[in-house]
Amino acid sequence: MAAEIVNPRSDSESRTGHEEQDGGAEPLESFDPAFALHRGGKMAVQATVPLRDKDDLSLAYTPGVAKVCSAIAEQPDLVHDYTWKSSVVAVVTDGTAVLGLGDIGPGASLPVMEGKAILFKQFGGVDAVPLALDCTDVDEIVETVVRLAPSFGGVNLEDISAPRCFEIEQRLQELLDIPVFHDDQHGTAVVSLAALRNAARLSGRSLGELRVVISGAGAAGVAIAKMLVEAGIGDVAVADRKGVVSRDREDLTPIKREVAQFTNKAGLVGSLEDALAGADVFIGVSGGTVAEPAVASMAEGAFVFAMANPDPEVRPEIAHKYAAVVATGRSDFPNQINNVLAFPGIFAGALQVRASRITEGMKLAAAEALAAVVGDDLAPDYVIPSPFDERVAPAVTAAVAAAARAEGVARR
């Protein structure tokens, strides 16, 4: 079976099938087209084999299905060849950190998870099933996903609040032999690195020459810091609400203590604004607002990646006064840092070779491939391709599959 990317009902039925709500009130879609689009959900399940007559039925179900089940029981690896397991991903959330909405619960998170599933299909050809779990305890989430795992070729963790998301991902990676990927962390990091590579190339600098300041020490901020260090960045400082994450702070969580060990080689202390003085790159994944004087204090030819949605930490019109390259998380400005550029191709590549996990090398390969798509069209307003560029997913898929083979995690 495959996940459709449209609702199977007719346009008129899906939009006007309910004339009244709550005792005669106008339907919600009368006021907002978003509600009209979402009525009935954004996806469905579609068979990939015919069921026209009793012969088809006897092959697709009993008695023919018994032969396949028996073969898989004798040779478990056949499950990858004779079911959809190797082409389907579970999109798992507990609804605690949904987009910019925060902890809204599993039910309210489902429109986002459905959206994620159709992005998998549209941009990577990967089927995905939304799973919103009615629990927030780490042990319960891990146990639930482990029990569900036999049905899936990979697990995409989505919108789970920090710091629980770190432990959940780590434990699932240890317990399962399929890829586990927390997109809020790693997808953001991959796309950020790709854009930063091209910004550096545009300015004639190497990554090793750059000093980066990251605003936000949550899931995305920590993952970006780790990936930039892996990629050879000159130095990176991470700031939370209390200032720069440094070794001398006594209020750090275990995750932030780990971050302090591999960042901030310059030994910076103080506020985010203090750290920005002379910095080459600002990466915002925290929300809030950075004052204009702090942006003005950055090095000449700086890059500003203000990715909070819907309100960037630095408004583009302010950033452009001082920065050579400006990126945001919004689709209505150039250089959108959008996770959809990464996760469909990363999973497609991992599933293609039946990878047991997604390694740092695979993520770095994805970033390099994504950056390379821009090619000779590189410009200040084009350091990252559009999600609708048809070259993106194939390039990322191929790079990730090759990296998986090189790192010994591919099983075919």
Side-chain angles (χ1 to χ4, degrees):
M1 294 185 176
E4 283 274 28
I5 61 171
V6 294
N7 192 287
R9 291 176 293 180
S10 70
D11 185 75
S12 60
E13 182 182 359
S14 63
R15 284 155 175 72
T16 63
H18 292 263
E19 296 300 326
E20 296 183 346
Q21 295 178 351
D22 300 330
E26 285 288 324
L28 290 170
E29 52 262 43
S30 297
F31 305 99
D32 192 325
F35 284 95
L37 182 142
H38 281 80
R39 179 174 287 284
K42 298 191 291 286
M43 57 186 293
V45 173
Q46 179 184 28
T48 60
V49 297
L51 282 178
R52 299 161 300 196
D53 51 38
K54 66 177 183 178
D55 291 333
D56 288 343
L57 184 60
S58 68
L59 288 173
Y61 202 55
T62 186
V65 73
K67 297 178 182 179
V68 181
C69 292
S70 298
I72 294 172
E74 293 177 5
Q75 300 181 58
D77 281 350
L78 291 179
V79 69
H80 298 283
D81 298 310
Y82 294 105
T83 72
W84 76 337
K85 178 181 173 71
S86 281
S87 62
V88 66
V89 169
V91 180
V92 178
T93 190
D94 63 358
T96 55
V98 180
L99 292 178
L101 303 174
D103 185 355
I104 59 175
S109 76
L110 267 178
V112 176
M113 300 310 115
E114 287 184 4
K116 198 77 174 190
I118 65 174
L119 295 178
F120 265 111
K121 188 66 174 178
Q122 179 72 25
F123 294 106
V126 174
D127 292 309
V129 176
L131 297 175
L133 306 184
D134 190 14
C135 59
T136 58
D137 178 78
V138 169
D139 291 337
E140 291 181 356
I141 293 173
V142 170
E143 180 182 3
T144 301
V145 175
V146 168
R147 293 182 183 278
L148 290 167
S151 295
F152 300 98
V155 175
N156 185 87
L157 299 174
E158 189 75 20
D159 293 348
I160 299 174
S161 63
R164 296 174 312 116
C165 59
F166 300 110
E167 181 180 356
I168 290 169
E169 183 188 44
Q170 180 180 354
R171 288 174 57 181
L172 287 173
Q173 285 177 335
E174 293 170 353
L175 291 168
L176 299 176
D177 66 347
I178 57 175
V180 179
F181 187 84
H182 185 211
D183 186 50
D184 299 318
Q185 294 182 58
H186 310 300
T188 304
V190 166
V191 183
S192 298
L193 174 57
L196 186 55
R197 281 189 178 281
N198 277 338
R201 179 163 68 93
L202 183 67
S203 66
R205 287 177 283 179
S206 68
L207 293 181
E209 298 176 70
L210 302 177
R211 180 167 73 82
V212 178
V213 177
I214 299 173
S215 175
V222 171
I224 292 171
K226 288 182 177 179
M227 180 160 283
L228 293 185
V229 170
E230 285 280 341
I233 204 75
D235 193 13
V236 55
V238 179
D240 62 11
R241 293 176 183 176
K242 296 182 179 180
V244 176
V245 174
S246 58
R247 297 185 186 188
D248 62 341
R249 279 180 51 181
E250 298 180 355
D251 60 344
L252 299 180
T253 64
I255 292 294
K256 292 179 184 179
R257 282 199 297 272
E258 179 187 345
V259 170
Q261 296 303 311
F262 66 84
T263 62
N264 196 17
K265 291 188 293 187
L268 300 175
V269 294
S271 68
L272 168 70
E273 288 75 13
D274 293 332
L276 281 175
D280 300 291
V281 184
F282 168 76
I283 295 178
V285 283
S286 65
T289 301
V290 178
E292 183 172 344
V295 181
S297 75
M298 295 178 68
E300 185 178 354
F303 313 142
V304 171
F305 294 1
M307 298 187 286
N309 266 317
D311 300 312
E313 294 90 347
V314 183
R315 290 289 304 176
E317 59 269 22
I318 299 298
H320 278 296
K321 292 182 181 180
Y322 311 101
V325 175
V326 177
T328 72
R330 290 175 46 152
S331 60
D332 53 345
F333 294 119
N335 295 328
Q336 183 190 19
I337 308 296
N338 190 333
N339 289 7
V340 76
L341 288 163
F343 69 82
I346 289 174
F347 267 101
L351 293 174
Q352 184 181 95
V353 298
R354 293 183 191 166
S356 58
R357 61 193 300 266
I358 294 172
T359 65
E360 288 301 314
M362 292 161 71
K363 289 181 281 187
L364 289 171
E368 292 175 8
L370 182 55
V373 170
V374 170
D376 294 336
D377 295 324
L378 182 64
D381 62 353
Y382 185 59
V383 297
I384 198 74
S386 162
F388 295 98
D389 188 325
E390 295 182 354
R391 300 171 296 171
V392 168
V396 174
T397 299
V400 169
R405 291 190 176 102
E407 299 205 339
V409 297
R411 290 176 287 195
R412 74 169 179 186

